[in-house]
Amino acid sequence: MKKNIDIIIIGFALFSMFFGAGNLIFPPYIGMTSGSGWLTSFLGFVLADIGIILLSINAVAKAGSYQAVVGRAGKKFGISLEFIMMLCLGPILVVPRTAATTYEMSIAPLFGSFNPALFSVLFFGLTFLLTVKPTKVMDIIGKFLTPVLLVALAFLIGKGIISPIGELKSFTGSEELFSTGLTQGYQTMDALGVGGVTALIMTSFLTKGYKDKKENAILTVKASLVAGLGLILVYGGLTYLGATVSTIYDVSISQTTLLINITSHLLGSAGTILLGIVVAFACLTTSIGLTSVTAKYFEDVSNKKVKYEYLVTLICVFSAIVSNLGVDKIISIAAPILTVLYPVSIVLVLMSSFGNLFTKNSTFKGAAYATLLISLLTVIDSLGISVSFVHILPFNNFGFNWLLPAIIGGILGHLFLKDEVNMFYNKAS
């Protein structure tokens, strides 16, 4: 009984850590653009978002750490990739964005004249208080914050199902709808922080007395399934809400405006308040989780020479400053960095998930470096320096133009790079 309760609590916390404000605005827009075909788009979204998350958590849990996965492309490569990724998840991009999003979607609509600098101090002051004790993070999120978030979401979705706003616009072309959902799910880039998040989950189970590594890994996967189920239900509900306004709005409407209008249609002025609560709790839980994950990572990197509490303080202070740049500016900074990091991370995680097929580190190296090259060229092209061939690669329209080069790179690495069989995987499996 205790084990099941622990799985549910940590699963709830994991749900909240992945369910940020970005996840709130994607599904309604997908539904609005899909109408009667919303379920097809939704399935594509789930596959590219939740599917990759679950595969990633499973791979990291089996390997024992994220470094054991990405390090197969080379020790220095793995350390560098993880280090940059954790900086992005922490004070540079993702954590500051949670405060900026909360201000723009929750505080500004309700308290228009509230000072943004003061709000950032209050937001990260609360983040600090709820994060400074690492063993309590998952319990605080799972027991207290997530239930509030779920109740608010359930109320909004339930109202939309009982009293649909409008008719579902008729759509055909299931292949196009599925690819739309697939692309949107990929663009959430939720699996980027899965290494640190998985480590936090496993540590939480460890502090609850589950010291056997195999049992700990199994419980971690089960908690991720709880989170995955929660995400599927919420995403499904939000996608359907979007579909009910498909005859009212078109693709010209912004994702944020669409969500605000849906809540206003369903609940009137009370909808603005409810949306503010949902966004605030979604962003706060993400901020708490990622601040803890990042601080724990850098504490371990420093061999505990820099204490967790000091790192939490540093992250909160720096994030408070960066958050005042605003959501649009932070996103514009984040986009090229994430475009480079995310594909490489996915390739290494997917290959690790099927480790019985990929036993040589040289295969990982070839695939990782080929993916990195294409990702870098894609970013260079987006900055105005023409690298036109990246657009003619297969699956470019889905954001997967790195897929074929990764396969070719893996084959070349396997054939021409000398390497020993990865013994760690054999032991872990």
Side-chain angles (χ1 to χ4, degrees), residues 29 35 41 103 142 177 184 217 223 260 268 277 300 346 363 371 389-390 392:
Y29 191 81
S41 294
Y103 179 80
L177 292 173
Q184 292 291 312
I260 292 171
I277 293 171
D300 291 341
I346 289 177
T363 309
T371 304
F389 87 92
V390 298
I392 63 174

Side-chain angles (χ1 to χ4, degrees), residues 24-100:
L24 190 62
I25 62 177
F26 274 119
Y29 191 81
I30 294 171
M32 187 273 295
T33 57
S34 303
S36 60
W38 70 271
L39 187 58
T40 302
S41 294
F42 167 68
L43 290 174
F45 183 83
V46 167
L47 178 64
D49 183 49
I50 301 172
I52 292 176
I53 289 173
L54 295 180
L55 274 176
S56 300
I57 291 176
N58 180 62
V60 175
K62 283 174 62 179
S65 71
Y66 189 64
Q67 191 53 228
V69 174
V70 295
R72 294 191 65 180
K75 184 177 179 180
K76 291 182 179 179
F77 181 92
I79 291 173
S80 300
L81 178 66
E82 189 174 27
F83 189 86
I84 297 170
M85 198 176 293
M86 296 309 294
L87 282 175
C88 291
L89 284 173
I92 295 179
L93 300 175
V94 181
V95 172
R97 192 178 66 188
T98 61

Side-chain angles (χ1 to χ4, degrees), residues 22-326:
N23 307 69
L24 190 62
I25 62 177
F26 274 119
Y29 191 81
I30 294 171
M32 187 273 295
T33 57
S34 303
S36 60
W38 70 271
L39 187 58
T40 302
S41 294
F42 167 68
L43 290 174
F45 183 83
V46 167
L47 178 64
D49 183 49
I50 301 172
I52 292 176
I53 289 173
L54 295 180
L55 274 176
S56 300
I57 291 176
N58 180 62
V60 175
K62 283 174 62 179
S65 71
Y66 189 64
Q67 191 53 228
V69 174
V70 295
R72 294 191 65 180
K75 184 177 179 180
K76 291 182 179 179
F77 181 92
I79 291 173
S80 300
L81 178 66
E82 189 174 27
F83 189 86
I84 297 170
M85 198 176 293
M86 296 309 294
L87 282 175
C88 291
L89 284 173
I92 295 179
L93 300 175
V94 181
V95 172
R97 192 178 66 188
T98 61
T101 303
T102 304
Y103 179 80
E104 293 181 19
M105 291 187 67
S106 296
I107 303 303
L110 298 174
F111 314 98
S113 60
F114 199 93
N115 186 290
L118 176 58
F119 171 74
S120 66
V121 172
L122 294 174
F123 183 91
F124 284 108
L126 185 57
T127 296
F128 173 82
L129 291 174
L130 297 176
T131 308
V132 73
K133 295 296 182 184
T135 57
K136 299 293 183 182
V137 170
M138 298 303 278
D139 281 347
I140 290 170
I141 298 176
K143 287 182 179 179
F144 305 110
L145 300 181
T146 304
V148 175
L149 174 61
L150 287 174
V151 168
L153 286 167
F155 185 77
L156 177 64
I157 292 170
K159 183 67 166 62
I161 293 173
I162 295 170
S163 305
I165 298 171
E167 298 292 326
L168 274 62
K169 187 176 181 180
S170 179
F171 274 92
T172 57
S174 59
E175 184 177 334
E176 181 181 344
L177 292 173
F178 183 80
S179 66
T180 298
L182 196 72
T183 303
Q184 292 291 312
Y186 172 71
Q187 288 176 355
T188 65
M189 299 192 179
D190 279 338
L192 195 62
V194 80
V197 170
T198 305
L200 183 60
I201 299 171
M202 297 179 78
T203 299
S204 298
F205 277 121
L206 188 65
T207 60
K208 291 180 181 294
Y210 305 101
K211 300 187 184 299
D212 181 76
K213 289 183 179 180
K214 188 173 182 180
E215 182 186 30
N216 193 304
I218 292 171
L219 293 176
T220 297
V221 172
K222 287 183 177 180
S224 72
L225 292 175
V226 171
L229 178 61
L231 289 169
I232 288 171
L233 293 174
V234 171
Y235 287 159
L238 291 172
T239 306
Y240 175 74
L241 294 188
T244 64
V245 297
S246 55
T247 57
I248 302 174
Y249 303 109
D250 59 31
V251 293
S252 63
I253 190 171
S254 74
Q255 294 172 328
T256 303
T257 303
L258 176 65
L259 182 60
I260 292 171
N261 289 355
I262 288 174
T263 55
S264 180
H265 272 297
L266 291 172
L267 302 169
S269 58
T272 304
I273 298 173
L274 181 65
L275 181 61
I277 293 171
V278 170
V279 170
F281 273 88
C283 289
L284 181 61
T285 51
T286 301
S287 176
I288 293 167
L290 294 184
T291 298
S292 180
V293 164
T294 309
K296 183 68 172 64
Y297 170 78
F298 287 112
E299 181 188 43
D300 291 341
V301 166
S302 70
N303 292 320
K304 301 192 184 298
K305 291 178 182 178
V306 183
K307 291 184 178 180
Y308 172 86
E309 293 82 358
Y310 297 157
L311 288 162
V312 169
T313 303
L314 182 61
I315 291 167
C316 287
V317 170
F318 191 83
S319 296
I321 296 170
V322 176
S323 68
N324 284 278
L325 294 173

Side-chain angles (χ1 to χ4, degrees), residues 354-370:
F354 302 97
N356 288 325
L357 297 176
F358 307 105
T359 56
K360 293 180 67 177
N361 288 342
S362 56
T363 309
F364 281 75
K365 287 180 182 178
Y369 281 108

